[in-house]
Amino acid sequence: MSSATAEVHTTHHHAVADKTQLAPEKSLLGLTRPDRHTGWIDWVTTVDHKKIGIMYGGFALLFFIIGGIEALMIRLQLSVPQNDLITAQLYNQFFTMHGTTMIFLGVMPLSAAFFNFLVPLQIGARDVAFPRLNTFSLWTFVAGAFVLNISWLFQFAHTVGWFGQGLVHTDMAPSGGWFGYAPLTGDKYTGIGTDFWIVGLQILGVASLAASFNFIVTILNMRAPGMTMMRLPVFTWMTLVTSFLIIFAFPAITIALAELMFDRYFGSNFFRTENGGQPILWQHLFWVFGHPEVYILVLPAMGIVSEILPTFSKKPLFGYPIIVFSGAVIGFLGFAVWSHHMFTTGLGKVATAAFSLLTMAIAVPTGVKIFNWMGTLWGGRIKFTVPMVFSLGFIWMFMLGGFTGIMHSSAPADAQQQDSYFVVAHFHYVLLGGVLLGLLAGLYFWVPKIFGRMLNQKLGYWTAFLVIAGFNITFFPMHYLGLTGMPRRTHTYLGDMGWNLWNLVATIGAFILGIGVLLCFVNIVYTVFKGKKCDADPWGGRTLEWSTPTPVPAYNFAATPIVQARDCFWVHKHGDKKIEYMPDDGHGIHMPSQSWFPLLCGFGFAFFGVSMAMMGAGVPYAGYCAIAGLSAVFLGVYLWALEGPGGYHLEPPHEEGADKPHDAPASHAAH
Amino acid sequence: MPSANPPLDDQLLEEIHADQNTNTGIENKKLIMWLFLASDCMFFGTLISTHLIYRKLYPFGHPEEGAVNITGTFDIELTSFSTFILLMSSFLMALAVSSMHKGAIQSFRNYTFGVIIFGLIFLAGQVYEFQHFYHGQGWYDWKVSSNAGQVIVGNEKNKLLFHDVANTAAAKEGFGHEQFGLELLSFTPAEGADLAHPPITFKYEVELPDEVGNAPETFYGEYIYNPTDPHASQVVVLSEIPPPPVIEEAKEAPKEEASDDTAKADSGGKTDASEKAETTEEAEAPAEASETKDVTAAQEQTEAAEEHVAESTEHTEAPNEHATEKHTEDTHNEAHPHTHTPAPTSMAEVTKAAKETFKHSNYGFELNEFKQVQVVPGLDLKTSVFGSTFYVMTGTHGTHVAIGVLWLFSMLVYSYSGRLTPRHAVDVEIAGLYWHFVDIVWIVIFTVVYLVEYI
């Protein structure tokens, strides 16, 4: 830095100091900008993508447990015919919240955890493009999850007689199914459970959209020199495609939910059949989001598997460009197949035929990916590590789910399978056998990078065995149950339908699966605190994240790497194209400052969501509380814009291994 | 862990950020705005398609045919004007961005101020529109005729023009004057009137242009409309609002009261204000009657013209056959005993003006018959899918405009406080992107929601 600049800088310093005193966070809300890097204040105000990723992962695992308990309750109720363990209404609430929780609070945030932790590392960036927006996404997600799940407390309060005794509808937790078909979710048929569901999903939508904008900008704009698009790790590519899917698919459901909300709160007629509202409109709006959502769930898992297979086959990914383009084509086609969820609504011959064909077509890029993964394995020196076992399980189970998917693409066959347990089997093979196995593979693969400790491998193999076995015992019989006519979402069934045996088997399988997943979580929690330490690159990784020290320093890369090849770290270790680093530019590493305001927005959203549901229940002044909550969000965003990115300088350590703090040299002391 | 240095100041941050060349060459914040707008396209796309689907399914906005009079609702002139204003605001926005890039901060301020004002005009138009759509202001086609054979036909919102559809010569005779330029200036629901709960009280304002070159005179009235019994609703009380210029004919005082009672009975759901007005009038009646005699005895000749004022007023207040006929026979030379009490309110001047009007413009004109040609209830979220989709869609757009105005206003303020300088031109550019987008969305909404109805 030239001395002239330093002078200008110094003169400006006083102005800034004055401005800081006038800054709204001090005078308005009494919130000084946090600069602590330890303790809970650091965690709730952090802008570090790695910490945010860890928190996303923690919340996701929590909700996996909650969603899993809901699933086990469903299976317990169905284990024997004419069971009266839980009421029909509670059963409805369990399957609604199971689906909603697993999709929006389990799989999506766990994917987001990987996006957050890995994407900046994989592209050689020091953080995401908008660090505070990233924090905002996290707390907004937590707020939405809170609003959805707090409904259980209201259900409990209602059951014991503390709340809402005068209400017409007694469902305090959502009960309309995860796709919430209107007018079933209108105010005629469901109570404030649906309000919690509507507002909770809208808040989650805000979180997903904000995160997606952030990741797209990060991936497009912040790649290290030489990291061209066709050198991007496939996981990052799939993050990009997923983010685009989110920004184009979520508006449809957000508007559908807003319309339903207006119907429920303000008496509009979007889905009010007596005044001309069309139930099919909801189905279209929901599924034009809902089908891309399926790919939003599965593409990150595909990206994870695409990272793991080459690592443990000791081969580059077979047909990298084809894998990438297949992912993109899946993303495009994902928007053109939604009506296959609605074949039985009577769309007309042309529409049905078109959507049938497009649905079959989407199997092509998916099949291409599977063949490419096989090609990667072919002739490789395969090491059956735990992540590898999960990845192979992913390919196998996802393929089975894909096969039944192709069966559904045929409209006449689909008409028979619609709303039967066959469909339940299909999407659990795709989402559990596919997505969850992929995510578990990712956990076993990257937890050593995240925490610097190896997950217990023996427990890992047990987990893999229990999860894959339990999963198949649970869901394979459902194909049979469905084809023999067992309807989906039935609360109970008669004993002479021939479904008794397989339902019992499925319930037993569900518990095996549950034990397997629990084992995995115990393993993770144990590892985080007591696990065996490992070095920075325990697997012999291929991509840039393995080139960083473990645990990864706040600035990720002391010097920005210059990438010269695909799989650059592999080539760096075993080939001739070494990773080089940008020269030190002399003014240290610019780090973004922490902020309170994303957290304030999260609180605002949570308050808004609960108040909206209370408004639905007729609680006095709840409407004003909702306005106050939303105002807090707007205030938070406004003040956050006002406070600016801020920042401070870190001097990277000059000696390897010495993570030495930089004691403000003369050139910086003036600041 | 490395320790933090003191915070950096803006200038250094700016230099640092400028050093970070992005891969695409587009600044991060600009790229994220483009992405947001891409996503916003889908938001508006969903809203607009919802509207169009229902528009196609129910051309009249409701499953029951003819439930919503769409062209009757829209005020296409106003909306066209709003659209033009919004377009021009985009033009100013472009100039503001360009000024900031050139470092001309004062021009930036001027143009941004213009954008804000235009944005506010647009919003005001929308508020006005929503209010009038909601109250059904534009939802009534009216046919108003006078006892002299004049017919008022109108379906405009605030202004019902008098058209002479009867024989002109006969009408001339009936009026005794060549004065046909009567205009009903306004016809609006009274304060607190709820179109959903009849009977409804309207206020009207009639202008009588003067042929001899005097300034046009205006008088006021009240009309109580009862859709459940249209006959009972044909009660017109002239010069009631603003505060009653109480002008009554002494000998007809009892009749007056009776008709007032009728009016009151007819207007069961009338607002407190109008009821109060009537009560006052009734209470004052005896006092007026006694005063009347003195006044008439002393000033019968000098106030001859004034009598006609009272006459007309009385007739319109009690539009029974008898009164109407009597009125038609009236001439300027006839004098009837009558009286008036100056209204003891601040609106005394208005009263005087109304009296003056009638002094020299007794054309026999009476608003004694209001016939409703078509009734369409006010448009709200609940009445039809058309209302639901219309309000949510245009409301979402209005919210976007309001946020944009707030954003630009903040920028304007910070340009004065020194926070926003030409170094932040890209921030202005981003706000500009947003503003242009909101404008483009409106062009689409204006075309597919408003204009399409007039093709």
Side-chain angles (χ1 to χ4, degrees):
Chain A
M1 189 190 312
S2 69
S3 59
T5 320
E7 265 177 43
V8 173
H9 188 190
T10 314
T11 47
H12 269 254
H13 168 63
H14 297 291
V16 170
D18 289 344
K19 261 190 247 163
T20 317
Q21 282 166 0
L22 294 173
E25 67 266 25
K26 288 193 170 167
S27 57
L28 267 179
L29 296 177
L31 290 174
T32 37
R33 202 156 185 172
D35 58 356
R36 293 187 55 175
H37 298 288
T38 52
W40 68 271
I41 287 183
D42 176 44
W43 281 96
V44 299
T45 63
T46 187
V47 288
D48 183 342
H49 69 95
K50 297 175 289 295
K51 287 176 178 164
I52 291 170
I54 290 169
M55 284 191 279
Y56 259 118
F59 282 113
L61 296 188
L62 172 71
F63 290 116
F64 262 122
I65 292 171
I66 293 174
I69 291 170
E70 285 153 3
L72 290 179
M73 291 305 292
I74 294 170
R75 279 321 315 169
L76 270 183
Q77 166 66 19
L78 291 178
S79 56
V80 290
Q82 291 189 289
N83 197 354
D84 58 357
L85 178 71
I86 51 179
T87 62
Q89 186 183 55
L90 198 54
Y91 182 86
N92 288 353
Q93 290 170 332
F94 275 135
F95 76 64
T96 301
M97 283 301 282
H98 166 69
T100 308
T101 303
M102 286 303 195
I103 289 167
F104 294 101
L105 312 181
V107 171
M108 284 184 75
L110 195 53
S111 299
F114 286 120
F115 295 169
N116 267 289
F117 198 92
L118 293 174
V119 165
L121 289 172
Q122 286 196 333
I123 64 173
R126 287 189 170 136
D127 208 323
V128 293
F130 299 95
R132 284 177 299 161
L133 187 65
N134 210 12
T135 317
F136 169 83
S137 301
L138 170 72
W139 294 119
T140 307
F141 151 68
V142 174
F146 173 80
V147 170
L148 271 175
N149 279 283
I150 200 75
S151 61
W152 286 119
L153 284 188
F154 284 94
Q155 184 64 53
F156 174 76
H158 179 78
T159 312
V160 298
W162 295 340
F163 175 78
Q165 297 304 300
L167 293 176
V168 181
H169 301 292
T170 55
D171 55 319
M172 303 294 133
S175 62
W178 89 275
F179 39 70
Y181 273 3
L184 183 65
T185 38
D187 50 6
K188 243 186 192 173
Y189 306 107
T190 49
I192 65 163
T194 305
D195 295 332
F196 278 115
W197 184 79
I198 290 172
V199 185
L201 284 194
Q202 276 172 323
I203 296 170
L204 290 172
V206 172
S208 299
L209 284 170
S212 300
F213 295 142
N214 210 344
F215 284 120
I216 295 174
V217 175
T218 305
I219 295 169
L220 291 182
N221 257 0
M222 298 185 66
R223 286 164 283 131
M227 179 60 84
T228 58
M229 290 305 276
M230 291 317 280
R231 285 178 185 165
L232 276 185
V234 174
F235 177 74
T236 301
W237 250 114
M238 292 305 112
T239 305
L240 184 67
V241 176
T242 304
S243 301
F244 269 109
L245 284 177
I246 287 176
I247 69 167
F248 289 123
F250 265 72
I253 191 180
T254 307
I255 293 301
L257 288 168
E259 290 174 351
L260 184 59
M261 189 173 85
F262 269 85
D263 274 10
R264 292 180 61 92
Y265 285 89
F266 309 111
S268 61
N269 301 306
F270 290 103
F271 307 112
R272 233 175 252 276
T273 45
E274 67 270 27
N275 280 340
Q278 294 283 323
I280 201 167
L281 177 70
W282 173 271
Q283 297 192 20
H284 277 297
L285 291 183
F286 185 88
W287 288 116
V288 84
F289 148 80
H291 203 81
E293 171 70 17
V294 174
Y295 296 105
I296 290 166
L297 299 174
V298 81
L299 284 174
M302 288 177 163
I304 289 169
V305 169
S306 303
E307 297 293 328
I308 292 172
L309 291 175
T311 306
F312 297 113
S313 304
K314 300 273 185 251
K315 272 182 70 188
L317 187 64
F318 181 80
Y320 168 94
I322 304 299
I323 291 242
V324 167
F325 288 133
S326 297
V329 168
I330 289 173
F332 276 112
L333 281 180
F335 277 101
V337 296
W338 78 89
S339 284
H340 68 216
H341 295 270
M342 303 158 58
F343 279 149
T344 53
T345 55
L347 296 162
K349 285 174 195 164
V350 175
T352 302
F355 280 106
S356 264
L357 287 171
L358 282 163
T359 306
M360 290 173 198
I362 207 166
V364 175
T366 317
V368 166
K369 283 200 159 203
I370 288 173
F371 279 111
N372 276 288
W373 291 326
M374 286 159 65
T376 306
L377 295 167
W378 189 268
R381 277 196 286 140
I382 297 173
K383 273 177 78 180
F384 286 98
T385 57
V386 179
M388 188 63 168
V389 171
F390 276 114
S391 298
L392 295 174
F394 165 88
I395 297 177
W396 188 11
M397 296 301 123
F398 182 75
M399 209 164 59
L400 285 178
F403 288 158
T404 47
I406 296 170
M407 292 169 73
H408 289 140
S409 72
S410 164
D414 182 76
Q416 298 301 311
Q417 296 150 359
Q418 172 90 20
D419 278 338
S420 76
Y421 259 81
F422 193 83
V423 174
V424 178
H426 158 71
F427 67 70
H428 279 93
Y429 263 84
V430 177
L431 292 180
L432 213 163
V435 179
L436 185 67
L437 289 184
L439 292 173
L440 288 178
L443 278 177
Y444 274 89
F445 190 55
W446 278 299
V447 158
K449 183 81 237 168
I450 296 169
F451 295 107
R453 295 169 189 269
M454 289 297 277
L455 285 166
N456 186 313
Q457 296 302 292
K458 197 173 266 179
L459 273 179
Y461 287 121
W462 271 106
T463 304
F465 173 76
L466 287 173
V467 167
I468 294 174
F471 161 71
N472 278 293
I473 296 170
T474 311
F475 294 103
F476 200 81
M478 288 185 190
H479 291 110
Y480 174 75
L481 285 172
L483 290 178
T484 52
M486 181 164 167
R488 180 184 183 183
R489 295 180 168 177
T490 183
H491 151 245
T492 190
Y493 51 93
L494 293 173
D496 57 357
M497 303 296 285
W499 302 334
N500 302 4
L501 172 66
W502 294 120
N503 268 308
L504 186 62
V505 168
T507 302
I508 294 167
F511 276 89
I512 298 172
L513 175 60
I515 291 167
V517 174
L518 196 65
L519 210 56
C520 173
F521 292 172
V522 168
N523 196 353
I524 291 170
V525 173
Y526 177 81
T527 301
V528 168
F529 296 103
K530 297 250 160 120
K532 201 177 76 184
K533 293 205 172 181
C534 64
D535 66 3
D537 182 20
W539 305 116
R542 302 147 44 247
T543 41
L544 270 179
E545 75 266 29
W546 303 106
S547 74
T548 59
T550 300
V552 186
Y555 44 80
N556 294 355
F557 299 93
T560 304
I562 300 172
V563 177
Q564 304 206 51
R566 191 182 295 157
D567 293 339
C568 59
F569 191 51
W570 178 268
V571 177
H572 172 80
K573 288 185 290 187
H574 304 288
D576 47 357
K577 286 181 179 167
K578 302 292 179 196
I579 297 173
E580 287 173 25
Y581 292 91
M582 297 280 279
D584 191 356
D585 53 7
H587 55 53
I589 298 169
H590 171 223
M591 301 295 293
S593 294
Q594 287 153 246
S595 174
W596 284 109
F597 296 121
L599 185 67
L600 172 68
C601 296
F603 275 116
F605 270 128
F607 192 65
F608 164 73
V610 177
S611 303
M612 283 299 279
M614 290 304 99
M615 191 178 155
V619 173
Y621 303 113
Y624 296 105
C625 290
I627 292 170
L630 213 52
S631 307
V633 175
F634 276 107
L635 185 71
V637 172
Y638 193 85
L639 294 180
W640 147 24
L642 270 190
E643 75 177 352
Y648 57 93
H649 272 171
L650 285 180
E651 197 68 25
H654 296 291
E655 302 147 79
E656 206 167 321
D659 210 5
K660 231 174 69 183
H662 169 73
D663 299 322
S667 65
H668 293 295
H671 311 168
Chain B
M1 290 295 289
S3 69
N5 282 341
L8 309 178
D9 82 359
D10 275 348
Q11 171 136 359
L12 185 61
L13 279 176
E14 205 62 29
E15 287 163 10
I16 292 163
H17 291 146
D19 286 343
Q20 289 178 345
N21 291 321
T22 61
N23 299 110
T24 56
I26 304 167
E27 289 95 332
N28 285 348
K29 23 182 154 173
K30 206 159 147 187
L31 187 57
I32 203 172
M33 179 47 77
W34 277 113
L35 291 168
F36 168 75
L37 297 182
S39 192
D40 221 13
C41 281
M42 299 300 286
F43 277 100
F44 278 108
T46 312
L47 282 168
I48 293 171
S49 30
T50 301
H51 178 82
L52 288 182
I53 286 164
Y54 283 138
R55 191 78 168 262
K56 186 167 182 293
L57 271 176
Y58 313 120
F60 296 97
H62 198 272
E64 293 158 33
E65 197 168 295
V68 178
N69 177 353
I70 294 174
T71 44
T73 308
F74 288 158
D75 183 347
I76 193 69
E77 290 88 353
L78 174 73
T79 315
S80 304
F81 172 72
S82 291
T83 307
F84 177 74
I85 285 290
L86 200 62
L87 267 176
M88 287 303 105
S89 80
S90 253
F91 175 59
L92 289 181
M93 188 71 236
L95 291 174
V97 172
S98 146
S99 310
M100 205 53 158
H101 275 301
K102 287 187 225 151
I105 193 141
Q106 191 51 45
S107 309
F108 160 78
R109 288 173 188 148
N110 296 344
Y111 290 133
T112 305
F113 183 73
V115 180
I116 291 169
I117 294 299
F118 278 19
L120 288 176
I121 292 174
F122 178 84
L123 282 177
Q126 196 164 37
V127 169
Y128 173 89
E129 197 178 47
F130 273 25
Q131 229 174 6
H132 283 248
F133 289 3
Y134 179 78
H135 290 299
Q137 174 73 14
W139 291 78
Y140 294 85
D141 285 344
W142 294 95
K143 187 182 172 192
V144 183
S145 65
S146 78
N147 60 330
Q150 275 230 324
V151 179
I152 311 158
V153 188
N155 61 2
E156 291 174 67
K157 277 173 196 71
N158 273 337
K159 204 170 178 186
L160 304 183
L161 288 174
F162 283 51
H163 299 289
D164 186 12
V165 295
N167 182 299
T168 310
K172 270 184 190 174
E173 282 302 308
F175 274 74
H177 268 268
E178 294 182 311
Q179 191 60 264
F180 296 104
L182 304 174
E183 268 195 317
L184 192 57
L185 290 181
S186 67
F187 190 80
T188 54
E191 223 175 282
D194 184 359
L195 291 196
H197 300 97
I200 312 139
T201 306
F202 293 92
K203 291 175 180 177
Y204 63 77
E205 201 176 335
V206 183
E207 189 184 70
L208 300 167
D210 198 309
E211 56 178 351
V212 295
N214 292 338
E217 301 286 355
T218 312
F219 62 94
Y220 309 88
E222 209 176 62
Y223 170 61
I224 301 134
Y225 167 61
N226 189 348
T228 52
D229 185 1
H231 192 70
S233 66
Q234 292 179 16
V235 175
V236 179
V237 184
L238 259 189
S239 302
E240 269 266 331
I241 309 288
V246 187
I247 306 154
E248 289 179 20
E249 205 166 339
K251 65 177 182 186
E252 288 188 9
K255 201 193 239 171
E256 184 69 39
E257 273 176 17
S259 74
D260 269 351
D261 285 342
T262 317
K264 215 157 113 189
D266 288 340
S267 59
K270 240 165 71 169
T271 61
D272 287 349
S274 56
E275 253 175 76
K276 203 171 158 188
E278 279 184 19
T279 317
T280 316
E281 195 185 325
E282 281 175 49
E284 279 172 5
E288 285 160 13
S290 59
E291 199 183 336
T292 298
K293 278 166 189 164
D294 302 337
V295 177
T296 41
Q299 302 179 342
E300 196 172 297
Q301 291 302 315
T302 51
E303 292 201 347
E306 215 171 86
E307 288 157 20
H308 290 288
V309 179
E311 188 82 37
S312 319
T313 311
E314 195 279 316
H315 282 309
T316 43
E317 276 173 342
N320 52 55
E321 261 334 287
H322 169 68
T324 309
E325 279 167 21
K326 225 175 118 189
H327 173 78
T328 325
E329 289 159 19
D330 280 347
T331 66
H332 277 273
N333 299 327
E334 269 181 11
H336 287 280
H338 71 286
T339 186
H340 83 279
T341 306
T345 68
S346 60
M347 295 302 286
E349 294 91 338
V350 180
T351 313
K352 201 178 167 207
K355 275 160 56 179
E356 283 299 309
T357 304
F358 276 81
K359 257 182 200 165
H360 50 74
S361 56
N362 183 9
Y363 312 123
F365 163 71
E366 287 183 40
L367 287 174
N368 64 348
E369 190 187 347
F370 272 32
K371 266 196 185 164
Q372 216 175 317
V373 174
Q374 189 179 2
V375 175
V376 186
L379 182 71
D380 65 20
L381 280 169
K382 298 175 189 176
T383 44
S384 62
V385 280
F386 179 84
S388 304
T389 56
F390 175 82
Y391 282 116
V392 173
M393 173 176 47
T394 52
T396 306
H397 180 267
T399 310
H400 274 72
V401 176
I403 290 172
V405 167
L406 186 69
W407 187 354
L408 291 171
F409 181 72
S410 302
M411 284 194 159
L412 187 63
V413 169
Y414 296 135
S415 80
Y416 282 103
S417 77
R419 271 189 91 107
L420 189 79
T421 65
R423 285 188 298 148
H424 303 94
V426 67
D427 294 347
V428 179
E429 204 177 328
I430 292 163
L433 283 178
Y434 176 84
W435 192 265
H436 293 315
F437 171 79
V438 170
D439 193 356
I440 290 165
V441 168
W442 183 256
I443 301 298
V444 175
I445 291 180
F446 180 63
T447 309
V448 305
V449 177
Y450 291 82
L451 277 186
V452 76
E453 203 61 33
Y454 297 85
I455 291 170

